[in-house]
Amino acid sequence: MPMDDLLHIDGRALRSRFFIGSAGYPSPQVLGEAIRASQSQVLTVGLKRSLQGAGDNGVVALALQAIQAQGGHLLPNTAGCRSAREAVTLAQMARELYGTAWIKLEVTGDEHTLQPDPFELLSAAEQLVRQGFTVFPYCTEDLVLCRRLLDAGCEVLMPWGAPIGSGQGLLHRHGLRTLRERLPDAVLIVDAGLGAPSHAAEALELGFDAVLLNSAVAQARDPVRMAAAFRDAVSAGRSAWRAGLMAPQDFAVASTPVGDHAFLLG
């Protein structure tokens, strides 16, 4: 990434706009190789799995070592929480364990779609900001909710592209486009639902600042190669947005002007 196009979050400058998850890989070795291939500088880890499960068998330590070697940062997440109280408690545990105030805040409101609960999410965000956390809330494309989260002190918003793990891409293009237009100064990261590198490129082409994904890489036949593909797609999408996409037309426009006189070639 050009040095004049770094992503700034919480006083830190990131070269990569590809945030990567750590769950569901076939082995810790493949996870580490995928992180290196992605060139990501932000790694998200599910706290329910690492703190309240039977242990991670050193996977988190291995993944953290790989991301730190690239100048990266850990972004613990509260996936699986159903209330603001539960999410806040888990975030506090993460800060003690990993020594970071960054937290990807997830509060699930619907078991079928895993759609965030906007009321519990906002409540948790307000509490965590007051406690000194840098909150990355996973939310929908709802403009009013996003404004409330920014007013609460969130520096970053993470609206979904589609339901988590669905691989459907950007189902809510109008809402996402509206967010980008109405919140031009906010850091907006498309999180969840991306299934192909083209989906990531489209998000960056819309002007979003980054993408976060997990399943599309972890569940690929070759996760390492897929991580590299997403890396390149994110870079291409960002470059396209900076270059300025041509405006779509409802009619044909000849790319080569035609004059009134015949001419010969050769």
Side-chain angles (χ1 to χ4, degrees):
M1 173 177 291
M3 294 302 292
D4 65 344
D5 189 37
L6 301 178
L7 175 59
H8 295 273
I9 297 177
D10 190 32
R12 304 181 188 184
L14 304 174
R15 297 184 304 277
S16 173
R17 294 174 181 267
F18 175 16
F19 295 12
I20 195 167
S22 59
Y25 285 83
S27 71
Q29 180 182 1
V30 172
L31 169 60
E33 291 176 0
I35 291 172
R36 287 186 284 273
S38 73
Q39 296 181 5
S40 175
Q41 292 183 291
V42 176
L43 173 75
T44 185
V45 172
L47 295 170
K48 284 265 189 177
R49 174 167 56 90
S50 60
L51 296 181
Q52 298 179 349
D56 61 21
N57 296 318
V59 172
V60 173
L62 184 150
L64 186 56
Q65 182 180 19
I67 203 74
Q68 288 176 337
Q70 298 173 177
H73 312 277
L74 182 67
L75 177 61
N77 72 62
T78 63
C81 290
R82 302 295 187 270
S83 68
R85 180 178 180 181
E86 184 181 13
V88 169
T89 299
L90 202 55
Q92 292 168 340
M93 293 171 64
R95 182 161 61 180
E96 290 297 320
L97 181 62
Y98 295 120
T100 178
W102 282 19
I103 191 74
K104 180 191 171 191
L105 179 61
E106 298 186 38
V107 185
T108 301
D110 179 74
E111 295 300 326
H112 179 67
T113 63
L114 299 181
Q115 182 170 329
D117 183 323
F119 306 102
E120 294 294 307
L121 181 70
L122 180 57
S123 174
E126 291 171 339
Q127 295 177 57
L128 290 171
V129 168
R130 287 197 297 268
Q131 295 176 23
F133 284 87
T134 299
V135 181
F136 296 61
Y138 169 60
C139 55
T140 66
E141 77 283 5
D142 184 282
L143 175 61
V144 176
L145 171 61
C146 288
R147 281 176 166 165
R148 295 292 183 270
L149 289 166
L150 291 174
D151 291 342
C154 297
E155 295 187 21
V156 178
L157 299 177
M158 305 187 79
W160 66 352
I164 292 174
S166 68
Q168 297 181 76
L170 304 185
L171 290 185
H172 314 288
R173 289 176 180 82
H174 175 73
L176 291 171
R177 188 177 293 108
T178 299
L179 278 187
R180 183 69 286 173
E181 292 172 353
R182 300 299 297 276
L183 305 174
D185 299 323
V187 176
L188 301 179
I189 300 170
V190 171
D191 176 17
L194 304 184
S198 56
H199 300 157
E202 182 180 6
L204 273 292
E205 288 168 1
L206 286 175
F208 281 78
D209 297 287
V211 297
L212 186 152
L213 57 96
N214 184 98
S215 299
V217 172
Q219 297 180 16
R221 188 168 57 250
D222 184 340
V224 178
R225 189 181 297 273
M226 186 62 76
F230 270 100
R231 175 200 67 207
D232 294 342
V234 168
S235 178
R238 179 65 180 180
S239 294
W241 180 80
R242 295 189 79 198
L245 298 170
M246 67 172 287
Q249 304 287 345
D250 292 329
F251 48 84
V253 179
S255 58
T256 302
V258 178
D260 294 331
H261 303 285
F263 60 89
L264 297 176
L265 297 177

